[in-house]
Amino acid sequence: MARIGLVGFGRMGQAILPRLVQSGAPVMVWNRTDKTKLIEAAGAIPASSPSEVVKNCDVVLSFLFDDAAVEAVYLGPSGLFSESCEGRTFIEMSTIKPRTIEAISCAALARRAAFVEAPVSGSTAAARAGSLLVLAGGAPDEICAVTPILNLFARRVVHMGPIGRGMAAKLGVQLLTYSYWLALGEAAAIASSSGLPIKEFLEVLADTPAALGALRGKLPAILGDEKDVAFSISAAQKDLEVIRDHARLLDVQGAMGESVFGQYGAAVRSGLGDDDIAAIVAFASKRPAHSQAQQRDITSENK
Amino acid sequence: MARIGLVGFGRMGQAILPRLVQSGAPVMVWNRTDKTKLIEAAGAIPASSPSEVVKNCDVVLSFLFDDAAVEAVYLGPSGLFSESCEGRTFIEMSTIKPRTIEAISCAALARRAAFVEAPVSGSTAAARAGSLLVLAGGAPDEICAVTPILNLFARRVVHMGPIGRGMAAKLGVQLLTYSYWLALGEAAAIASSSGLPIKEFLEVLADTPAALGALRGKLPAILGDEKDVAFSISAAQKDLEVIRDHARLLDVQGAMGESVFGQYGAAVRSGLGDDDIAAIVAFASKRPAHSQAQQRDITSENK
């Protein structure tokens, strides 16, 4: 049985760990900040560095925040590539620039390690339920070899082509999702300013062909009935920066991507970075500011 | 049995007429341009003016292109309101400005006629299949009275509130759909420029939470395998003008709506107005211009 390593223990890492542990394989986890107790409580072994994970595991999954974190974890001191990693397999699941993942993939090849990109579609709930969609890129034999491990948390593993194509598919999927939540904010503003309560609008919308697959699951968060942060606006802004950078590199940038990037940036600057992405709907509909202003008016009248 | 009138015999009017006729009710149809043969072939009676429809029918459905057409048909010479229409019921299904529909609704009230707004979600295929969603606005008793007629082509009639709220919901739904197709074009450009064929990208996308409800049905048209025009880019541009006008009136306009409006306008100016809305995806991904340019290069080389 392959020994599994997990590098990066954020929201998604925490969501898949129980599924890795339940497989019966020994699992070792490293995180930049100390999460020893959480890791041990989940039945895994904490590691003191990425290199310790490589020494003790056959397959290393990586789920990190951004390009800088991925580069530091693979190439930095005590990083995944700081010791011999011949015969090891690395599965990179972070959403990062295709050129970064291509560079890491080349570095893995030079070290005689296998390397698969495996960005996922689906959020923390799908990860916990084992229903993520993996957009795999890499050599077909290497993807096939790790598919049993991916299937511990995925309902489907799609082979998109060589390294970079899985990431390109993921960036496209993310651009669509982020655009949709913004447009939903504007649509909700039109509805509510016309006297139609947002909840009624959203419930009808969910029954039209204009409903996004992700809409029903996000309704409680959009309406403020669910406070759990599944995916933050800061993380979306980071993804949009990756999308914009990649689109510019390919000379295919468009007006939507630029506009969406600008508005998520504005939301982060206004202090919403740590909120769930559902908060972007209220931000785009300018509801909370409006309601607060009304609240203040009412309060001062009562004084 | 109520005698049914239909005013406006464009794509949607043509799609619902067979369902009205199949109910067994006598149906009279008027269209701005002569479509006598099409109307008779469908088993309905052609009328020479809107006022002739009012004289001969109890309930008049109207499915027109834009605000100007609606105003002319109701208020113009030989229009629906040019003769007594006391006791008649008007069902307005066009996507127009909420303030226009409110004005027509007031004019109907002054004439002791019933008036219901009934914009629909769903395209020609849904209309033919009787599976439209009706976003009804108006007095509850008037909506209830016409629901059996709406159910001839609808799977569901939702009562959104007084006149204007059904239209506000429809405008929100349309803004979302039009934004999505544009973002899809940019996402597809990123994927294809990264070496991932658009067809593969779209097929994977359709299996993610980033899939719009309408996506699967539009895939053949987006990929160029289906040439039937279900809804034109010009019609979308007209809707976006209505959306922008209404949003400005409410002082809720946002960056997405402005950007989307601008890009559909650019597509119309580049000659795509009569194409199906699916063509906006290729326009946004800049594929056809690119392919045509390549084609020309190849042709000139061959000379």
Side-chain angles (χ1 to χ4, degrees), chain A:
Chain A
M1 182 177 283
R3 298 164 299 168
I4 302 174
L6 173 63
V7 163
F9 199 54
R11 286 195 186 93
M12 288 298 276
Q14 289 175 39
I16 65 165
L17 180 61
R19 304 194 65 91
L20 303 178
V21 170
Q22 277 158 28
S23 75
V27 183
M28 181 173 265
V29 181
W30 175 84
N31 191 61
R32 190 173 51 87
T33 58
D34 182 28
K35 290 185 179 166
T36 305
K37 283 182 185 171
L38 269 179
I39 293 163
E40 285 176 342
I45 308 145
S48 59
S49 68
S51 66
E52 191 188 343
V53 175
V54 173
K55 271 184 232 163
N56 291 285
C57 300
D58 307 294
V59 176
V60 181
L61 305 165
S62 157
F63 228 136
L64 298 158
F65 185 69
D66 62 6
D67 288 74
V70 168
E71 284 173 343
V73 162
Y74 281 89
L75 310 171
S78 306
L80 295 171
F81 288 170
S82 66
E83 305 239 359
S84 164
C85 47
E86 190 171 339
R88 299 289 191 258
T89 297
F90 298 93
I91 305 176
E92 183 51 58
M93 308 182 69
S94 320
T95 301
I96 53 171
K97 297 175 186 171
R99 60 180 168 177
T100 302
I101 208 147
E102 280 161 18
I104 304 274
S105 150
C106 288
L109 188 70
R111 285 166 177 76
R112 304 191 184 196
F115 186 89
V116 168
E117 68 174 349
V120 298
S121 166
S123 191
T124 44
R128 281 191 294 266
S131 63
L132 293 171
L133 177 72
V134 173
L135 305 164
D141 59 331
E142 294 181 359
I143 294 173
C144 289
V146 297
T147 296
I149 289 176
L150 297 172
N151 280 338
L152 295 176
F153 49 79
R155 65 174 165 82
R156 187 180 168 205
V157 177
V158 198
H159 187 181
M160 305 304 298
I163 291 284
R165 296 213 183 147
M167 197 60 73
K170 166 83 188 226
L171 298 183
V173 164
Q174 297 303 83
L175 175 58
L176 278 164
T177 311
Y178 301 144
S179 303
Y180 188 85
W181 299 132
L182 262 191
L184 179 57
E186 291 187 22
I190 289 172
S192 67
S193 296
S194 304
L196 182 63
I198 285 185
K199 190 170 180 178
E200 281 182 41
F201 171 67
L202 292 175
E203 278 168 1
V204 166
L205 174 66
D207 189 31
T208 72
L212 201 71
L215 180 63
R216 279 203 189 277
K218 273 291 177 196
L219 285 182
I222 291 169
L223 292 167
D225 300 335
E226 160 66 64
K227 301 294 182 194
D228 189 37
V229 176
F231 192 83
S232 73
I233 292 181
S234 289
Q237 189 202 18
K238 181 272 298 178
D239 283 1
L240 283 161
E241 203 168 335
V242 169
I243 291 166
R244 193 177 65 156
D245 176 271
H246 186 56
R248 285 181 173 174
L249 201 71
L250 300 170
D251 197 26
V252 296
Q253 73 265 33
M256 290 287 280
E258 293 289 334
S259 169
V260 173
F261 176 74
Q263 289 178 79
Y264 277 76
V268 169
R269 285 192 299 279
S270 78
L272 297 174
D274 292 335
D275 284 16
D276 186 77
I277 193 165
I280 202 78
V281 177
F283 176 78
S285 75
K286 298 177 184 68
R287 269 187 297 143
H290 188 60
S291 310
Q292 279 164 20
Q294 284 184 326
Q295 195 58 46
R296 273 196 297 275
D297 288 349
I298 293 161
T299 312
S300 48
E301 273 169 29
N302 288 347
K303 275 179 187 168

Side-chain angles (χ1 to χ4, degrees), chain B residues 38-237:
Chain B
L38 267 180
I39 293 163
E40 286 176 343
I45 309 145
S48 59
S49 68
S51 66
E52 191 187 344
V53 175
V54 173
K55 271 184 234 162
N56 291 284
C57 300
D58 308 295
V59 176
V60 181
L61 305 165
S62 158
F63 227 136
L64 298 157
F65 185 69
D66 60 8
D67 288 75
V70 168
E71 284 172 344
V73 161
Y74 280 89
L75 309 173
S78 306
L80 295 172
F81 288 170
S82 65
E83 306 239 0
S84 163
C85 47
E86 191 171 339
R88 301 288 192 256
T89 298
F90 298 92
I91 304 176
E92 183 50 59
M93 308 181 69
S94 320
T95 300
I96 55 173
K97 296 174 187 174
R99 58 177 169 181
T100 301
I101 207 144
E102 280 160 18
I104 304 275
S105 151
C106 287
L109 188 69
R111 285 166 177 75
R112 301 188 188 201
F115 186 89
V116 168
E117 70 174 347
V120 298
S121 166
S123 191
T124 45
R128 282 191 294 267
S131 62
L132 292 171
L133 177 72
V134 174
L135 304 165
D141 59 331
E142 295 181 359
I143 294 173
C144 288
V146 297
T147 297
I149 289 176
L150 296 173
N151 279 339
L152 295 175
F153 48 80
R155 65 174 165 82
R156 186 181 169 202
V157 177
V158 196
H159 188 182
M160 305 304 298
I163 292 284
R165 297 214 183 147
M167 198 60 74
K170 166 83 187 227
L171 298 183
V173 164
Q174 296 304 83
L175 175 59
L176 277 164
T177 312
Y178 301 144
S179 303
Y180 188 84
W181 299 133
L182 261 191
L184 179 57
E186 291 186 23
I190 290 173
S192 67
S193 297
S194 304
L196 181 63
I198 284 182
K199 190 170 180 178
E200 280 182 42
F201 172 67
L202 292 174
E203 280 170 359
V204 166
L205 175 65
D207 188 30
T208 72
L212 202 70
L215 180 63
R216 279 203 189 274
K218 274 291 177 197
L219 285 182
I222 291 169
L223 292 167
D225 299 336
E226 159 67 63
K227 301 294 182 196
D228 188 37
V229 176
F231 191 84
S232 73
I233 291 180
S234 289
Q237 190 203 17

